[in-house]
Amino acid sequence: MATAEPEKAELKIVNDATCTFCGCVCDDIQLTVDGHKITKAKKACVLGTSWFLNHEIEDRPPCFIKGQPATVEAGIKEAAKILYQARYPLIYGLSDTTVESQRVAVSIADWIGANLDTTTSVCHGPSGMAFQSAGESTCSLGEVKNRADMVMFWGSNPAESHPRHFTKYSLMPKGMYVPNGRKDRTCVMVDVRKTKSAKAADIFIQIKPRKDFEALWTLRALANDIELDPEQVERETGNPLSLWQDLMDKMKACKYGVIFFGMGLTMTRGKHANSEGILSLTRDMNRHTRFACKPNRGHGNVTGADNVVTWRTGYPFGVNLGRGFPRFNPGEYTASDVLARGEADAAMIIASDPMANFSQPAREHLKTIPYVALDPKETPTTKHAAVSFTVATYGINVPGTVYRMDDVPIPLRPAFDSPHPSDLKILQGIEKEVLALRSAEFAR
Amino acid sequence: MTTGRRSIVPRTKKITFERNQQIVSEIFILVPGRSSQQGCGINEGKFNETYVNATSFVQMNPKDMLRLGIEDDEKIELKSDFGRIEIAVQKAKADELPIGLLFMAYGDLSSRLMGGDTHGSGMPTSKGLDVEVKKV
C-alpha cells in the first residue's frame, strides 16, 4: 500500500511509487520528497532515477497561444475551436499519460471525427498488426519470474531501454519453479549488434542486419522438422545451420520459454512480417513445450493506450472516426502517414514529440497546420504548437492508472502536487468546449 | 519455371574512388536506437546538453574508421535517399558493431534520414537504413 508519511514539514517518503518512464512500470520505488523536488528514488534504475529527479515544477506559464502566455481557459477554447473546425484532424500520442486521460482523448476524437493514433504505430504497431494475423501466446511478467527457464531477447536491448527487466522480472529473480534464479535460466540474445545486454546472455547470436525474417523462419522450419539447405541458411542469416539447430534443441528441451522482442524487429525491413514470424515461432514451439512471446514496450503507458483505444473503438491504433464509426487501416490512418502525405489539417498531440521523432516530410507538414500540444516539458513539438499546455507529470504529480507491458494495470502514487493542470483536466475542458460548439452548430 | 523473384540479399556495398584510389564514400547500414544517455536526456529536457550530446554522434567499427581514414570526433556526412546530415564519429567499443554497421541514438538527426513512406504499416523504416558515408 502507498503511504505518505511526513518526516518533517516538507520532507516525506512515498513508498511503492510507480515509475512510468518505460514499459516495466516498476511499482516498488521509494521516493524521498523535499517540498516540490524528489531527492532520492530508491530501487529505481538509471532511467527511473533520471525520470524522478528531473521532473520538478516547470517554471513556465501553463498555456501558450501562438507562443504568447495565455490562461488555461483561453487555451482550452482556442484548442476546441481548432479541432472542431478541422476537416481531417489528427489526435496522436497518448502513451505517456493516464488511462483516464486516454479515455477522454478517444471521446474527443469520436466527437470531431478524427484520425486517432498513438505512439504504438511507430513502436510496436507492426506487432499489433501481427497479433491479428498470428495471435499472441502471452503471459504476465509474474509468470516469467516464477516459471521461465529459457528467456530469449530478439532485437531488444533491455540493459539500456528497460534496465530493471533482467533483475526484477526476467533473469535474476528466484521464482516458484526456478528457485535458483539466474542459475536455473538460459538466456539467449539475438541482435544485429553486440549491445550492452549481450553480456547478460548465455548464448549471443549476431545476425545479419535486415535478416530477422530469414532467421525467424529458419527456426520455424526447424521447429517443424523441415529440412533446410545449410549454405542458404548461412548466407541469409550469417550463422551456420548447426547453430540454429542447437538453439532449437535447447528451445524444445526447456520447460517454459519466453521470447521478448523489441523494435529491432518492428522498425526494420519486414516490420509486421518480422513480428508475425516471431509470434508464429512461439505458436510452433507450443507443440513441443510451453512458450510465450511479449513485445518489450517502451513508453510508460503505451500498453494502456492500446487497451483504451481497443475498448473504445475495437482497434488498437490508426483508427479513423470520420464516418461516425471506427475504421482501422495502418498506413492510411496512422499519424506518420496522414502527416507525411499532407492530409491532416489540424492536430492534437498529447504527451509525445513527433516534431523530433517523425520523418522530415511529416514534420514539415505538422509545422504548417494549427495544432494543440500537451506536455510537461518544452519540446520541439510544443515550440511550434498553436496552443500548448504545460501539464503536470503523470505518476509524479497526477494519480491514475497505467498498464505495464504485460497488460497488468498499476495504480500511480504521486509524490507532490503541481500548480499545472493535468492532461485529464485539459482534455475534459476541450471535450466540454467541443460539445458546446457542436450544440451551437446544430441549434442553428 | 522462372519467377523473376527479387533478390533479398542486401545491396552490395558501393565504394566510390577518387583518381588517387582514396575511398571517398561508402554505403553503410545505419541502426538508430535507444541509449541510456539519450533516455536520461529526455528527462532532463530535449534542449539540454545531455540529450543534445547523446543524439549528436554516430558509432562506427574501428576497422571501418581506419579504412576510411576517419579519426574519433571527426565529422562525416551521412546521406540517405531522404536526407543528409553532418555528424561526429565515435569509435564503437570492442566488438559491439560489425563492419559496415553504424549506430546512433534516436533523435532529430536520425529522423532526418528517415523517409515518410510506411509501406502500409504506419511505421517508417527507422532502422537498417542505407546511408552513404563521406568525409566532410
Side-chain angles (χ1 to χ4, degrees):
Chain A
M1 279 292 291
T3 51
E5 299 155 2
E7 285 185 351
K8 53 183 185 178
E10 301 86 20
L11 200 69
K12 68 172 180 177
I13 303 292
V14 179
N15 289 316
D16 299 329
T18 305
C19 174
T20 51
F21 182 79
C22 82
C24 282
V25 190
C26 300
D27 58 347
D28 59 348
I29 314 293
Q30 189 191 68
L31 300 177
T32 304
V33 186
D34 188 357
H36 284 164
K37 186 168 171 53
I38 296 167
T39 53
K40 269 187 206 161
K42 209 171 158 186
K43 291 191 187 171
C45 65
V46 60
L47 295 174
T49 303
S50 165
W51 166 257
F52 283 116
L53 269 53
N54 285 294
H55 279 91
E56 301 168 28
I57 291 169
E58 292 286 308
D59 185 19
R60 300 176 67 218
C63 178
F64 292 88
I65 299 177
K66 290 177 184 159
Q68 298 303 312
T71 63
V72 170
E73 292 71 27
I76 286 174
K77 274 191 191 305
E78 183 65 17
K81 205 169 103 189
I82 288 169
L83 293 170
Y84 190 71
Q85 286 175 350
R87 290 173 62 82
Y88 202 68
L90 166 72
I91 294 185
Y92 173 74
L94 295 171
S95 57
D96 272 323
T97 189
T98 60
V99 159
E100 291 78 2
S101 307
Q102 291 164 347
R103 286 181 62 181
V104 182
V106 178
S107 297
I108 296 170
D110 200 4
W111 291 123
I112 62 173
N115 280 292
L116 174 65
D117 193 25
T118 74
T119 61
T120 280
S121 67
V122 291
C123 65
H124 272 287
S127 308
M129 293 163 72
F131 290 146
Q132 297 183 6
S133 55
E136 186 187 17
S137 303
T138 187
C139 66
S140 70
L141 292 175
E143 280 180 86
V144 175
K145 178 184 170 182
N146 283 305
R147 293 173 187 274
D149 60 344
M150 180 159 212
V151 184
M152 296 174 65
F153 294 88
W154 197 302
S156 180
N157 180 15
E160 297 206 65
S161 59
H162 304 77
R164 289 187 81 201
H165 202 294
F166 294 153
T167 53
K168 192 170 188 313
Y169 300 112
S170 56
L171 280 188
M172 309 310 285
K174 291 176 179 172
M176 195 179 288
Y177 300 105
V178 274
N180 301 308
R182 180 67 183 91
K183 286 179 191 161
D184 286 340
R185 305 181 204 262
T186 303
C187 176
V188 181
M189 202 79 63
V190 184
D191 211 318
V192 297
R193 63 187 182 104
K194 202 168 183 180
T195 62
K196 285 184 183 163
S197 301
K199 284 181 198 156
D202 299 303
I203 302 165
F204 172 68
I205 301 176
Q206 191 161 7
I207 56 167
K208 278 187 179 177
R210 303 187 288 215
K211 290 292 181 179
D212 301 271
F213 181 86
E214 288 79 355
L216 286 163
W217 277 74
T218 299
L219 284 174
R220 282 204 73 196
L222 295 175
N224 291 290
D225 299 321
I226 294 167
E227 209 173 302
L228 293 169
D229 174 6
E231 273 181 32
Q232 191 186 12
V233 169
E234 185 152 6
R235 190 175 63 242
E236 292 294 336
T237 68
N239 291 284
L241 179 59
S242 57
L243 182 139
W244 295 114
Q245 185 62 63
D246 186 47
L247 174 61
M248 179 48 61
D249 293 344
K250 286 188 169 68
M251 288 168 76
K252 284 180 178 174
C254 80
K255 288 180 183 162
Y256 191 111
V258 61
I259 313 176
F260 291 100
F261 65 106
M263 292 190 290
L265 284 187
T266 61
M267 281 186 166
T268 196
R269 172 187 161 275
K271 298 172 190 172
H272 51 286
N274 295 336
S275 298
E276 199 176 308
I278 207 160
L279 293 168
S280 303
L281 170 65
T282 311
R283 196 178 56 198
D284 295 341
M285 291 312 299
N286 278 285
R287 290 199 200 119
H288 306 283
T289 182
R290 174 78 179 104
F291 245 88
C293 190
K294 293 298 302 170
N296 266 344
R297 304 308 304 271
H299 293 283
N301 199 23
V302 67
T303 309
D306 288 359
N307 276 280
V308 172
V309 177
T310 306
W311 300 333
R312 300 296 306 276
T313 71
Y315 305 108
F317 65 97
V319 183
N320 178 278
L321 295 153
R323 289 194 179 167
F325 57 88
R327 291 180 295 165
F328 171 66
N329 197 5
E332 185 176 5
Y333 305 133
T334 28
S336 187
D337 299 87
V338 296
L339 289 174
R341 286 195 300 258
E343 292 170 354
D345 60 348
M348 177 157 70
I349 314 293
I350 303 153
S352 158
D353 189 14
M355 208 52 108
N357 305 326
F358 273 19
S359 67
Q360 198 61 14
R363 293 194 280 184
E364 275 165 18
H365 182 67
L366 186 58
K367 264 187 203 167
T368 66
I369 61 173
Y371 69 87
V372 183
L374 283 72
D375 207 292
K377 287 187 181 277
E378 189 183 27
T379 68
T381 299
T382 61
K383 264 194 161 182
H384 291 96
V387 182
S388 78
F389 295 98
T390 309
V391 291
T393 307
Y394 82 133
I396 291 179
N397 315 124
V398 181
T401 310
V402 299
Y403 275 65
R404 204 168 62 185
M405 64 165 81
D406 55 348
D407 298 284
V408 172
I410 310 265
L412 298 179
R413 300 172 180 111
F416 58 88
D417 289 334
S418 168
H420 294 301
S422 64
D423 290 328
L424 181 64
K425 194 179 165 198
I426 300 291
L427 292 169
Q428 284 173 332
I430 293 174
E431 186 187 12
K432 202 174 154 194
E433 279 300 318
V434 163
L435 286 173
L437 290 168
R438 199 177 145 89
S439 302
E441 188 184 350
F442 284 111
R444 279 201 293 271
Chain B
M1 195 177 80
T2 309
T3 57
R5 190 168 64 93
R6 257 182 73 193
S7 167
I8 53 169
V9 180
R11 223 187 323 158
T12 317
K13 274 187 183 177
K14 185 186 99 182
I15 303 175
T16 315
F17 290 93
E18 270 178 351
R19 279 185 192 158
N20 62 4
Q21 295 298 295
Q22 178 74 36
I23 297 171
V24 175
S25 70
E26 188 169 322
I27 301 288
F28 278 70
I29 296 175
L30 173 68
V31 179
R34 164 59 54 84
S35 74
S36 48
Q37 196 195 1
Q38 178 247 15
C40 292
I42 291 172
N43 295 323
E44 290 172 29
K46 287 192 171 175
F47 299 106
N48 283 21
E49 203 182 342
T50 307
Y51 182 82
V52 173
N53 288 346
T55 56
S56 302
F57 67 89
V58 65
Q59 287 177 297
M60 188 184 263
N61 183 301
K63 285 177 186 166
D64 283 326
M65 290 175 70
L66 195 68
R67 195 179 63 257
L68 294 170
I70 298 168
E71 300 287 325
D72 231 6
D73 288 330
E74 193 178 333
K75 284 222 163 183
I76 57 167
E77 178 188 290
L78 296 185
K79 199 171 142 195
S80 72
D81 289 343
F82 313 101
R84 180 197 157 277
I85 59 169
E86 281 185 16
I87 189 165
V89 179
Q90 276 191 12
K91 203 180 279 182
K93 281 176 196 159
D95 50 354
E96 188 176 333
L97 288 176
I99 285 172
L101 198 72
L102 303 172
F103 174 80
M104 68 185 285
Y106 296 128
D108 171 59
L109 288 176
S110 69
S111 300
R112 285 172 193 268
L113 300 168
M114 275 160 42
D117 190 2
T118 71
H119 313 101
S121 71
M123 165 75 85
T125 303
S126 320
K127 288 182 189 280
L129 307 167
D130 274 333
V131 288
E132 189 178 345
V133 172
K134 207 174 176 180
K135 284 181 78 167
V136 177

